[in-house]
Amino acid sequence: MSTQATTATDFCMPSLGADMEEGRITEWLVHPGDQVERGQIVVIVETEKSDIEVEVFEPGTVVELLVGEGELVPVGTPIARMGPVGAAVRPARASAPAVEPTPPPAAREPTPAVPPPSPRPTAPTAAHVTSPIIRHLAVELHVDASTVRTTDGRVHRDDVVRAWQEAAR
């Protein structure tokens, strides 16, 4: 009789290139409690060269996301905790808290005490920053990425999907 493991395992930041030492979590495509299939894309990681979709190699359940979007972590760092499909899962290290995104390092020179502008959608410009993955998604959905409204000048997956949904109305 085989027994299915009920403890979670770490899903680590993969090495996505021979010279990759660290990667930034751009977007999680799953949430805790989600069931995932082998080959399913679960996270988009930004490297020095491009944004890369990362897939899981085993089916299972997302137990916990350990690294927040925007956080830069070294290769080999646990970024999520995965458990078996459909099983009640206890994290392997129950006392380990989820990692909160690290704020960017403070500037070395003092800055004037002026409040930052509130985020608001930007007007479409030719200077929109897009990754190859986002450009591919825009092409698949027949959305002109250069016309997508963003909150930070960088076109994200949600921005393209929102533009596609608005065009469908």
Side-chain angles (χ1 to χ4, degrees):
M1 170 166 117
S2 76
T3 59
Q4 187 176 20
T6 58
T7 58
T9 58
D10 288 338
F11 180 72
C12 298
M13 173 65 74
S15 176
L16 302 168
D19 59 348
M20 180 178 164
E21 295 178 5
E22 59 190 7
R24 183 177 312 277
I25 302 297
T26 301
E27 182 178 3
W28 281 105
L29 304 176
V30 294
H31 304 284
D34 288 354
Q35 300 292 310
V36 295
E37 300 293 326
R38 178 187 171 146
Q40 181 177 339
I41 306 299
V42 296
V43 65
I44 298 175
V45 173
E46 177 184 322
T47 68
E48 288 182 6
K49 297 179 182 176
S50 66
D51 287 359
I52 300 175
E53 295 175 331
V54 178
E55 64 185 56
V56 292
F57 295 104
E58 299 293 329
T61 302
V62 178
V63 174
E64 184 177 16
L65 302 179
L66 301 173
V67 177
E69 291 180 355
E71 188 167 351
L72 184 67
V73 295
V75 168
T77 301
I79 59 174
R81 193 156 290 132
M82 305 295 290
V85 174
V89 178
R90 290 186 320 254
R93 293 178 281 155
S95 62
V99 177
E100 293 296 320
T102 305
R108 296 183 194 268
E109 297 179 20
T111 56
V114 176
S118 61
R120 60 182 183 193
T122 60
T125 69
H128 274 1
V129 178
T130 59
S131 69
I133 293 169
I134 300 304
R135 286 192 299 272
H136 179 74
L137 175 64
V139 167
E140 283 184 349
L141 297 178
H142 304 287
V143 172
D144 181 356
S146 68
T147 64
V148 173
R149 291 192 174 275
T150 71
T151 55
D152 62 0
R154 182 176 177 93
V155 179
H156 297 276
R157 184 178 204 281
D158 292 342
D159 298 326
V160 173
V161 171
R162 185 176 43 255
W164 172 72
Q165 290 171 335
E166 289 172 359
R169 289 183 194 158

